[in-house]
Amino acid sequence: MSKNTDELFKNVIAHAKEYGFVFPSSEIYDGLSAVYDYGQFGSELKNNLKTYWWKAMVQMHENIVGIDSAIFMHPKIWKASGHVDGFSDPMIDNKDSNKRYRADQLLEDKIARYDKDGKTDKAEALQIAMDEALKNEDLPRLRELIIEHEIADPVSGTRNWTDVRQFNLMFSTQMGAIADDADLIYLRPETAQGIFVNYLNVQKSGRMKIPFGIAQIGKAFRNEVIARQFIIRMREFEQMEMQFFVRPGTEMEWYKQWKETRLQWHLALGTDEAKYRFHDHVKLAHYANAAVDIEYDFPFGFKEVEGIHSRTDFDLSQHQKFSGKKMQYFDPELDADGKPYGNYIPYVIETSIGLDRMFLLTMINAFDEEDLSTDEKQDSRTVLRLHPCLAPVKAAIFPLIKKDGLPEKAREIMDKLKLDFNLQYEEKDAIGKRYRRQDAIGTPFCITVDHQTLEDNTVTIRHRDTMQQERVAADDLDKIIGKLVSWKNLLS
Ligand code: ATP
């Protein structure tokens, strides 16, 4: 991270806390590692991101419906899905510092350092060796690579490493009063399985025809070996996932289509296209026949925000095998020979985006420290240039001064609008200070009620980005704000 990007990242984290977006969890008890709470504005922004996703995926697609499945599920589900046996990371401990690391991340950091120092041959060779070891789940080989490449613990500075072991990322707990192994259940590490086990319920009750999708937003839990980079890698986080069920043999077409559709969803927010890239997976998960990440150029480098995976019929077939229940779909449509396609287990394309990573991306992208200095005086402001649809507060209403009936008039205007828009009323401090506070939380419009309002019922609207003001009729505010924060600006 260069000094500037490092500073930007630190400033965003500090801003998120200072202005009520993100707080460390359990802070008064010194925090809980990799767990965060969303504050009064953070939870609004998060909800708006969810709405944007839900509208784009569910409301705008007649063949996609949404569900909300429980976090607790039958433990056999995680056996069938492969998570009990395979959802793990290779970890290694340093014997001097007693710190734990992900073996692959230590190697990736080394590769990045080789690259930075212009040692591209070494970087490539290590990448190939690491990929091979990960593919073969060859844990001793991963340790050998750490030793060969003289990787030291950043804390102790020593190379006194333990063996590499697999560490399962699922959290488990017990259900019921008498705890024994038979009652062991897991906190879901992904929302997808709740969709797979309900796919026939939804298909039958909704009379869905292939191709169709099921979407869901919900919490997922992973006991990450090490958590870094703020809300990028959390132990409790939220996913927005959609499983799209298709006829076998058509999955690659849909895979390509969803890849494009999802990128467009990101770009519609006005983010610079150069900040995004696709990253094809070389090492595919056990269930996938194609997979790509949508990555964003965070201050600490490109990082996955969303994955698009062609999951084949793996999950449904596994659930058929483990539950003994048929997972087949009957397709009455006719093939090229005029015969019905008949019974089959659908193939699945998944789009899976991390809500918290999207939140961070949005904050970083919106964060701006604008220099407003003139020849006469130095000045600056911090402004969150959030899309108006995402802004936590849509408009702030200010009486110019705290007397002469202006507060009453401002409240009267606010009362007419507050059911439709999330508004803030502020009468404390000079108007300039109030503008700055709203800029800092990304409020797109500030409405000021002054003495003229009492005469002709007009107010001023000040626009966050341009700082321009205009005078409008108070009765038109619902239309004006409504138009500027309409989802039609993002989705149509
Ligand atoms: P990574 O390689 O970064 O660990 P992943 O490939 O395990 O991510 P997926 O299983 O594909 O991630 O999950 C889908 C999305 O969920 C990711 O694109 C990411 O945005 C989000 N996600 C995954 N793990 C976490 C986490 N620990 N904290 C926050 N978001 C996460």
Side-chain angles (χ1 to χ4, degrees):
M1 239 193 301
S2 76
K3 190 166 171 286
N4 278 351
T5 50
D6 190 20
E7 215 169 275
L8 165 70
F9 190 40
K10 281 195 186 131
N11 289 346
V12 169
I13 296 173
H15 190 86
K17 176 152 188 254
E18 188 182 345
Y19 285 92
F21 283 85
V22 183
F23 306 125
S25 158
S26 322
E27 198 185 5
I28 57 168
Y29 292 95
D30 296 331
L32 185 64
S33 173
V35 185
Y36 290 88
D37 297 335
Y38 287 83
Q40 65 277 30
F41 298 121
S43 53
E44 294 284 348
L45 172 55
K46 208 171 168 207
N47 280 339
N48 293 340
L49 283 167
K50 288 188 204 178
T51 305
Y52 175 39
W53 185 85
W54 194 266
K55 281 188 185 288
M57 300 299 277
V58 179
Q59 209 165 316
M60 297 297 281
H61 288 100
E62 285 173 31
N63 60 348
I64 301 181
V65 291
I67 63 164
D68 183 10
S69 69
I71 288 171
F72 290 140
M73 287 191 268
H74 197 289
K76 266 196 191 166
I77 287 173
W78 304 111
K79 218 35 206 159
S81 68
H83 284 83
V84 170
D85 299 320
F87 192 58
S88 45
D89 279 335
M91 64 165 193
I92 190 164
D93 292 15
N94 182 274
K95 291 184 197 161
D96 297 318
S97 67
N98 290 324
K99 290 268 173 214
R100 178 162 292 174
Y101 298 92
R102 257 174 73 176
D104 55 333
Q105 267 170 12
L106 286 177
L107 292 166
E108 266 170 20
D109 290 348
K110 187 74 183 178
I111 292 168
R113 238 169 299 141
Y114 280 147
D115 266 331
K116 211 169 138 228
D117 299 342
K119 296 178 183 162
T120 42
D121 286 358
K122 278 199 154 177
E124 264 169 40
L126 181 54
Q127 182 79 56
I128 292 168
M130 180 184 86
D131 286 347
E132 186 68 19
L134 285 172
K135 202 166 119 204
N136 299 331
E137 292 180 15
D138 187 346
L139 303 182
R141 178 68 186 138
L142 285 175
R143 183 171 190 277
E144 254 170 48
L145 290 171
I146 288 170
I147 304 290
E148 272 170 29
H149 289 264
E150 301 185 344
I151 297 174
D153 174 9
V155 176
S156 67
T158 70
R159 285 185 252 140
N160 196 5
W161 296 110
T162 61
D163 286 342
V164 177
R165 280 160 297 157
Q166 288 290 14
F167 175 75
N168 195 296
L169 300 184
M170 280 199 295
F171 283 99
S172 59
T173 185
Q174 251 106 15
M175 187 170 254
I178 308 158
D180 69 31
D181 271 2
D183 303 312
L184 196 71
I185 57 164
Y186 300 97
L187 297 187
R188 66 181 177 198
E190 61 175 27
T191 61
Q193 297 304 324
I195 295 179
F196 292 128
V197 297
N198 276 301
Y199 119 92
L200 276 182
N201 281 338
V202 174
Q203 189 271 320
K204 288 188 176 135
S205 59
R207 291 180 296 129
M208 309 295 291
K209 286 204 180 72
I210 269 182
F212 70 92
I214 305 177
Q216 115 156 295
I217 299 176
K219 290 264 177 158
F221 304 83
R222 295 183 188 178
N223 199 1
E224 298 282 359
V225 176
I226 52 163
R228 347 188 242 196
Q229 290 145 346
F230 193 40
I231 53 174
I232 281 279
R233 192 168 297 287
M234 301 156 89
R235 297 205 165 99
E236 172 179 344
F237 59 101
E238 229 168 324
Q239 292 185 315
M240 307 195 284
E241 295 198 305
M242 193 276 301
Q243 312 296 325
F244 200 68
F245 300 88
V246 304
R247 194 175 286 151
T250 64
E251 70 273 14
M252 280 306 142
E253 276 163 55
W254 288 109
Y255 173 71
K256 279 196 206 114
Q257 192 165 318
W258 278 111
K259 204 173 135 177
E260 272 319 305
T261 306
R262 290 304 306 148
L263 182 64
Q264 289 315 315
W265 181 90
H266 287 265
L267 297 180
L269 287 170
T271 319
D272 177 7
E273 202 168 345
K275 291 261 181 194
Y276 278 103
R277 75 174 186 200
F278 284 122
H279 176 252
D280 286 307
H281 286 210
V282 186
K283 181 188 170 246
L284 292 171
H286 56 281
Y287 52 75
N289 67 359
V292 66
D293 293 337
I294 296 179
E295 294 187 337
Y296 179 78
D297 191 5
F298 285 96
F300 39 84
F302 275 95
K303 184 80 208 144
E304 169 182 348
V305 180
E306 173 157 8
I308 292 121
H309 310 126
S310 176
R311 289 182 81 127
T312 67
D313 60 354
F314 175 82
D315 301 271
L316 294 179
S317 299
Q318 285 291 97
H319 288 308
Q320 176 163 296
K321 197 162 123 197
F322 278 72
S323 68
K325 307 275 170 10
K326 282 254 176 293
M327 283 289 173
Q328 285 177 335
Y329 166 83
F330 178 76
D331 189 339
E333 291 205 12
L334 306 180
D335 64 15
D337 302 326
K339 283 202 248 109
Y341 284 100
N343 284 312
Y344 57 78
I345 295 183
Y347 269 44
V348 173
I349 305 300
E350 164 183 81
T351 72
S352 171
I353 174 169
L355 178 55
D356 310 270
R357 288 189 193 178
M358 188 62 206
F359 181 100
L360 182 59
L361 180 169
T362 307
M363 288 287 284
I364 288 173
N365 199 29
F367 187 81
D368 187 16
E369 282 172 318
E370 195 181 2
D371 186 6
L372 300 171
S373 301
T374 57
D375 291 344
E376 286 84 52
K377 71 169 179 130
Q378 293 248 317
D379 195 11
S380 68
R381 65 169 182 156
T382 302
V383 48
L384 279 190
R385 298 188 190 279
L386 293 169
H387 192 287
C389 289
L390 300 184
V393 176
K394 302 305 180 197
I397 303 201
F398 308 151
L400 183 64
I401 49 171
K402 258 197 289 188
K403 54 182 185 184
D404 301 341
L406 299 186
E408 292 74 14
K409 181 68 186 169
R411 287 231 173 255
E412 183 194 312
I413 292 174
M414 171 141 170
D415 285 346
K416 282 194 194 144
L417 297 168
K418 72 181 183 196
L419 183 62
D420 291 324
F421 309 106
N422 193 25
L423 302 180
Q424 266 210 338
Y425 175 83
E426 275 212 71
E427 58 180 25
K428 206 167 164 278
D429 295 323
I431 211 96
K433 257 198 173 164
R434 287 182 256 170
Y435 283 155
R436 290 291 190 276
R437 275 203 295 270
Q438 294 300 327
D439 288 344
I441 60 165
T443 307
F445 316 107
C446 290
I447 296 159
T448 304
V449 171
D450 54 20
H451 292 94
Q452 193 181 327
T453 314
L454 303 179
E455 286 161 26
D456 63 6
N457 206 30
T458 63
V459 293
T460 60
I461 290 196
R462 180 255 196 194
H463 295 259
R464 177 195 69 201
D465 292 342
T466 58
M467 296 192 286
Q468 298 288 315
Q469 297 187 24
E470 56 178 327
R471 209 153 184 109
V472 302
D475 290 341
D476 291 343
L477 280 173
D478 59 341
K479 278 202 207 78
I480 295 169
I481 303 172
K483 201 166 160 212
L484 290 165
V485 305
S486 164
W487 291 102
K488 286 196 188 119
N489 299 326
L490 278 176
L491 297 162
S492 45

